[in-house]
Amino acid sequence: MPIIANDINRKSWMEVRPDSDFPIQNIPFGVFLTKENVVTVGTRIGDFAIDLGALQQLNYFEGIELTDDMFMQDTLNDFISDGQKTWRLVRNRIAEIFDVKNPKLQDNAKDKEIIIFKMDDVEMQLPVLIGDYTDFYSSKEHATNVGKMFRDPENALLPNWLHIPVGYHGRSSTIVPSGIPVHRPMGQTLPNGEMTPVFGPSRLVDFELETAFITTDVNIMGENILVTEAEEYIFGMVLLNDWSARDIQKWEYVPLGPFLAKNFASSISPWIVTMDALEPFRTKGPKQEPTPLPYLQQKGKHSFDIHLEVAIQPEKSEPTVISRSNFKYMYWTMSQQLAHHTSNGCRVNSGDMMGSGTISGPTPDSYGSMLELTWGGKNPLKLNDGTERKFINDNDTVIIKGYSQNENVRIGFGEVSSKLLPTFVRT
């Protein structure tokens, strides 16, 4: 089925700024709350949110087989479960509805009043009910940097890293959308030079620059999927700030890996950008040496050229961009991650989320965490307001942005913006 929504010559009758992340060629999917406290599935063009539930009720999806309440829900899970054919049909239809050459909705003031909202008048929600969350560790540069800091610099990568997409199962209950503040976590840490741990607020709270992909129903328990088929089961991507408490992590991660240092909060951008929208930005990833085992081998362009940046904004101050990176640096691809995830028969469901792992580039200004940018706090960053940061301070806001762009179109994610609040204390 052709992806006619990607037509670079298509123009919308809705106003779209030239530098917008959301031209008519994007058509992401999300969930928002209106001023009337109605929760609905929607999409976005420019600075306008579009109520897909209202579009469906007014019969604009005529001819597409959808359940009656497909878009009148508070999550995208059912829509994602319908599979790639439905996603493309709906996205293509939305592109047609909002095409400047189509007068059907454009000239219907009554319907537009019901369907279209200004972004300032809606509140974005978590787009899917995330049943399971897996976080990978797939940036070679990041894994090497961490290995140099915490282990033998000559053997920074563990023996398994170049053979499997390393990951761990995270916690979905504390994944929140952009704009929701998070609290500095409490936990056990081992002070330098001490033998006994203490309990208290983490002193080394960090961000992690990541993306994540959202799956449809992939398999049944016991069944694996082929790496060549994996992309068919990926609905789209979001930006992810996978908050970390480095001092808690250092004390707890041996022998079983990340736990409380990683599950206190993960923040995602609210609009899921479909893989179809990102199709024009395919690129090859890094060469994989040694050659992966046969079940992970793939040819062609399976990575994506997505520009990423991170800024820190102190309270009542301007943001400072501290890192610029790119998704294409990732060593393991999303399809390899998903194929490996199911290789043992693990079931993957609609709405499951898979984090990329911290995305670090080859240069110091492209590192994806404060741990790397300040090299464990040894080299503080200077912000525009003159203050310095080794890690994230209370009341700092971390802002992650991402977009893909070529000579024809810009497809973006918006941002995931999260403020770090002081530790929550019960009184």
Side-chain angles (χ1 to χ4, degrees):
M1 181 192 307
I3 311 173
I4 64 172
N6 288 7
D7 182 358
I8 60 172
N9 296 312
R10 189 187 298 277
K11 303 293 182 184
S12 175
W13 49 264
M14 309 231 340
E15 183 181 353
V16 181
R17 291 178 288 104
D19 62 345
S20 174
D21 280 354
F22 302 100
I24 194 171
Q25 289 80 11
N26 192 336
I27 311 180
F29 292 90
V31 174
F32 60 83
L33 178 71
T34 70
K35 278 186 173 181
E36 290 74 31
N37 288 321
V38 175
V39 178
T40 185
V41 171
T43 187
R44 175 175 178 174
I45 296 177
D47 292 325
F48 297 93
I50 297 159
D51 184 341
L52 297 184
L55 269 180
Q56 183 178 7
Q57 285 181 303
L58 293 168
N59 215 28
Y60 282 87
F61 292 121
E62 183 180 9
I64 301 177
E65 291 187 14
L66 301 170
T67 56
D68 291 343
D69 63 345
M70 177 67 78
F71 297 124
M72 289 169 278
Q73 302 189 37
D74 57 3
T75 74
L76 281 160
N77 292 61
D78 281 359
F79 175 59
I80 295 173
S81 287
D82 254 25
Q84 191 179 74
K85 180 181 177 181
T86 298
W87 312 335
R88 286 185 178 172
L89 284 170
V90 168
R91 192 165 163 271
N92 285 346
R93 178 65 59 84
I94 295 168
E96 291 173 343
I97 292 169
F98 290 92
D99 191 301
V100 69
K101 299 175 183 177
N102 188 345
K104 185 175 180 181
L105 177 59
Q106 184 178 181
D107 295 344
N108 191 325
K110 182 180 178 183
D111 283 2
K112 285 195 292 187
E113 183 72 20
I114 299 170
I115 292 167
I116 301 169
F117 299 83
K118 293 180 180 178
M119 281 301 303
D120 289 342
D121 293 335
V122 303
E123 181 181 313
M124 298 305 299
Q125 308 292 298
L126 200 65
V128 290
L129 178 62
I130 301 169
D132 282 299
Y133 163 47
T134 299
D135 192 33
F136 286 95
Y137 187 56
S138 291
S139 163
K140 187 177 182 180
E141 289 80 5
H142 174 68
T144 301
N145 289 337
V146 173
K148 286 179 178 178
M149 277 187 266
F150 292 112
R151 292 189 300 276
D152 175 11
E154 298 301 315
N155 298 285
L157 289 180
L158 292 173
N160 64 352
W161 199 93
L162 292 170
H163 295 275
I164 60 173
V166 174
Y168 70 94
H169 293 292
R171 181 81 181 171
S172 62
S173 60
T174 39
I175 299 174
V176 293
S178 178
I180 303 297
V182 303
H183 286 274
R184 180 178 295 272
M186 302 278 284
Q188 279 196 29
T189 60
L190 185 67
N192 289 334
E194 298 295 326
M195 299 294 291
T196 303
V198 297
F199 182 81
S202 168
R203 300 179 65 184
L204 308 180
V205 174
D206 201 355
F207 71 86
E208 288 192 345
L209 169 60
E210 301 194 29
T211 64
F213 65 87
I214 309 296
T215 67
T216 185
D217 298 293
V218 174
N219 59 344
I220 59 174
M221 185 173 172
E223 176 188 28
N224 67 299
I225 62 165
L226 301 177
V227 69
T228 53
E229 300 173 351
E231 288 183 6
E232 299 174 19
Y233 301 101
I234 299 175
F235 174 64
M237 297 175 67
V238 296
L239 303 174
L240 167 64
N241 177 1
D242 195 25
W243 294 91
S244 298
R246 299 300 184 187
D247 43 358
I248 297 174
Q249 185 176 359
K250 184 177 180 181
W251 173 236
E252 74 176 3
Y253 86 105
V254 178
L256 293 180
F259 185 36
L260 301 184
K262 300 283 293 180
N263 70 6
F264 64 95
S266 300
S267 306
I268 66 171
S269 53
W271 293 107
I272 303 175
V273 177
T274 65
M275 302 315 301
D276 279 354
L278 293 168
E279 186 67 27
F281 305 99
R282 282 185 177 274
T283 188
K284 286 187 175 181
K287 186 176 181 180
Q288 295 181 330
E289 292 181 325
T291 300
L293 294 176
Y295 79 102
L296 290 174
Q297 291 176 16
Q298 55 184 173
K299 296 180 180 180
K301 299 178 179 180
H302 295 283
S303 189
F304 295 85
D305 184 4
I306 304 172
H307 302 278
L308 301 164
E309 72 172 41
V310 185
I312 294 177
Q313 182 175 14
E315 194 166 38
K316 299 178 181 178
S317 186
E318 293 300 309
T320 302
V321 174
I322 58 169
S323 175
R324 290 184 172 90
S325 192
N326 196 298
F327 180 77
K328 67 183 179 182
Y329 297 139
M330 298 301 291
Y331 186 86
W332 295 104
T333 68
M334 293 183 287
S335 44
Q336 288 175 318
Q337 290 171 340
L338 188 54
H340 181 65
H341 204 308
T342 66
S343 63
N344 68 342
C346 175
R347 183 176 175 180
V348 175
N349 299 315
S350 172
D352 284 358
M353 190 176 98
M354 312 277 177
S356 62
T358 303
I359 302 170
S360 291
T363 58
D365 61 351
S366 64
Y367 293 163
S369 65
M370 294 295 283
L371 180 68
E372 298 163 272
L373 289 165
T374 70
W375 210 252
K378 294 178 182 178
N379 307 310
L381 297 179
K382 194 162 193 175
L383 304 187
N384 291 337
D385 66 356
T387 61
E388 291 186 340
R389 293 292 184 279
K390 295 180 179 180
F391 288 89
I392 307 302
N393 286 0
D394 286 349
N395 299 310
D396 283 349
T397 297
V398 177
I399 305 165
I400 297 176
K401 297 182 179 181
Y403 67 92
S404 296
Q405 188 166 5
N406 57 28
E407 64 275 11
N408 298 313
V409 69
R410 174 187 173 112
I411 302 295
F413 294 80
E415 66 180 32
V416 52
S417 175
S418 313
K419 187 174 185 177
L420 181 65
L421 299 180
T423 300
F424 179 83
V425 179
R426 295 183 66 90
T427 57

